[in-house]
């Protein structure tokens, strides 16, 4: 275990100005409390402050723990500013953050790399809706290309509802994706350093795993072990890792996947700063391999040190992760 003093003074960046500000405040506050409990000299800094860069430059900080979700914190913008300041930070760099935040570019890159992702079209108010439905079928998922936490997303069961769903998504981002719905099960795989955490299966009585299911409901189920045979789970973990690396992501994050009715996997999106709230998935998967929240926070902080990553370890629930 590394000495808490080895990290120096740490700025935990939280809040920010995105649509996910409230979730970021919860994630950042949880991470800050865990780091302080571990003896780290950590200070919370709200990234919504107009003098943020001046605060960071004058604060005698040795590194930053990024707990910001959404635009301005998870899209490479902040990462570029931190690099300009010469301040090491947790998680992915500028390119990986920008690619993962943009669902369209991520899908295009995955397609170019030969990785499976659901068929889609880019939609606008003047799209030919009949052609979209003819190509992709029903039901469909409609989403803003550059939002997180399922903000602005809709599941469309009837063609007549497609224009309104696209308009809802476009209110959050002018770039809107319409994807073929994959209904065989939703899974997520967390990655922390060289650990690929156990897959989690998500189950909700709602139409899909939306914002309410993620943060407000008590009837959402998170299954870890996920119920897949070990070989199938390892295959899902390997695909998640390959997708993460294809986007130039590093340090830590989470990849969301869908299985169709035949069990074939499809990549949905990558998250470079996943949630750290009491409803969040990476902490749940970490607990399944014996990592406490405090140990997880320190492992994430370790990603700011720029240490070489070892050979990735695919962990199943019940195995013990090295601390």
């Amino acid at each position: 275990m590394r000495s808490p003093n080895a990290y120096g003074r740490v700025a935990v960046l939280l809040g920010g100005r995105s649509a996910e500000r409230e979730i970021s405040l919860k994630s950042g506050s949880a991470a800050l409390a865990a780091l302080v409990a571990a003896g780290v000299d950590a200070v919370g800094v709200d990234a919504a402050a107009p003098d943020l860069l001046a605060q960071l430059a004058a604060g005698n900080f040795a590194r930053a723990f990024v707990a910001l979700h959404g635009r301005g914190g998870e899209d490479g913008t902040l990462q570029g500013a931190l690099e300009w300041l010469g301040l090491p930070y947790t998680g992915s760099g500028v390119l990986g953050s920008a690619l993962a935040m943009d669902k369209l570019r991520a899908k295009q890159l995955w397609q170019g790399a030969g990785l499976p992702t659901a068929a889609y079209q880019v939609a606008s108010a003047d799209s030919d809706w009949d052609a979209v439905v003819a190509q992709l079928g029903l039901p469909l998922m409609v989403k803003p290309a550059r939002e997180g936490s399922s903000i602005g997303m809709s599941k469309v069961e009837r063609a007549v509802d497609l224009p309104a769903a696209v308009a809802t998504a476009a209110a959050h981002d002018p770039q809107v994706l319409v994807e073929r719905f994959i209904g065989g099960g939703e899974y997520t795989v967390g990655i922390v350093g060289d650990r690929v955490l156990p897959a989690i299966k998500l189950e909700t009585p709602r139409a899909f795993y939306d914002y309410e299911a993620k943060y407000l409901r008590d009837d959402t189920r998170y299954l870890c072990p996920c119920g897949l045979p070990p070989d199938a789970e390892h295959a899902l973990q390997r695909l998640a890792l390959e997708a993460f690396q294809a986007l130039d992501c590093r340090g830590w994050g989470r990849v969301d996947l869908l299985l169709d009715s035949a069990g074939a996997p499809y990549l949905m999106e990558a998250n470079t700063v996943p949630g750290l709230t009491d409803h969040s998935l990476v902490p749940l998967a970490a607990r399944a391999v014996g990592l406490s929240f405090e140990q997880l926070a320190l492992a994430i902080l370790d990603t700011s040190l720029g240490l070489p990553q070892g050979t990735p370890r695919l962990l199943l629930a019940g195995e013990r992760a090295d601390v």
Side-chain angles (χ1 to χ4, degrees):
M1 179 74 70
R2 189 169 283 105
S3 167
N5 295 328
Y7 300 104
R9 194 165 194 239
V10 178
V12 178
L13 300 177
L14 70 167
R17 303 175 184 174
S18 81
E20 298 178 77
R21 172 178 171 80
E22 294 306 314
I23 306 303
S24 174
L25 287 171
K26 293 180 179 179
S27 289
S29 296
L32 176 61
L35 294 176
V36 170
V40 176
D41 180 14
V43 178
V45 179
D46 191 335
D51 62 341
L52 173 63
L53 298 187
Q55 285 189 51
L56 294 176
N60 194 32
F61 293 111
R63 65 197 67 255
F65 187 113
V66 180
L68 295 164
H69 309 314
R71 297 184 202 180
E74 198 173 354
D75 59 1
T77 305
L78 176 75
Q79 287 73 14
L82 294 174
E83 292 195 7
W84 183 77
L85 288 173
L87 192 62
Y89 54 91
T90 55
S92 293
V94 175
L95 179 60
S97 299
L99 286 173
M101 188 70 195
D102 190 324
K103 297 180 182 66
L104 173 59
R105 268 69 187 184
K107 288 175 75 72
Q108 290 171 335
L109 196 149
W110 286 333
Q111 286 178 319
L115 301 178
T117 187
Y120 70 95
Q121 285 195 22
V122 178
S124 62
D126 57 357
S127 291
D128 183 336
W129 306 118
D130 291 336
V132 171
V133 172
Q135 178 180 339
L136 300 178
L138 289 169
L140 295 165
M141 292 302 302
V142 180
K143 60 184 71 173
R146 291 162 293 201
E147 275 292 358
S149 292
S150 300
I151 291 170
M153 283 181 61
S154 305
K155 181 180 178 182
V156 173
E157 305 274 3
R158 306 181 304 162
V160 68
D161 297 325
L162 188 53
V166 170
T168 296
H172 298 275
D173 189 331
Q175 189 168 270
V176 176
L177 289 181
V178 180
E179 290 182 332
R180 177 177 295 155
F181 180 75
I182 308 294
E186 184 167 346
Y187 296 79
T188 191
V189 175
I191 298 164
V192 181
D194 64 353
R195 305 176 181 104
V196 183
L197 299 175
I200 300 172
K201 184 178 184 183
L202 314 173
E203 293 184 347
T204 174
R206 296 181 61 77
F208 67 98
Y209 187 52
D210 60 5
Y211 185 95
E212 184 168 338
K214 288 178 177 178
Y215 302 115
L216 304 177
R217 298 284 289 245
D218 293 325
D219 55 1
T220 304
R221 299 181 68 208
Y222 306 100
L223 306 181
C224 188
C226 67
L228 294 174
D231 287 351
E233 183 171 353
H234 280 153
L236 209 63
Q237 290 172 303
R238 283 191 292 269
L239 176 58
L241 180 63
E242 190 175 357
F244 194 69
Q245 294 172 335
L247 297 179
D248 198 40
C249 297
R250 64 172 186 259
W252 82 292
R254 202 187 75 227
V255 177
D256 299 335
L257 310 96
L258 299 166
L259 298 186
D260 67 13
S261 56
Y266 292 84
L267 294 162
M268 185 163 53
E269 64 179 281
N271 302 271
T272 54
V273 188
L276 292 170
T277 72
D278 54 1
H279 278 62
S280 297
L281 301 172
V282 173
L284 172 62
R287 286 197 301 272
V289 293
L291 288 176
S292 68
F293 189 86
E294 185 177 303
Q295 290 168 331
L296 173 63
L298 290 172
I300 293 170
L301 186 56
D302 279 347
T303 70
S304 70
L305 298 175
L307 300 174
Q309 301 293 316
T311 302
R313 294 170 289 163
L314 309 183
L315 299 170
L316 297 176
E319 295 184 22
R320 299 295 296 181
D322 297 333
V323 176

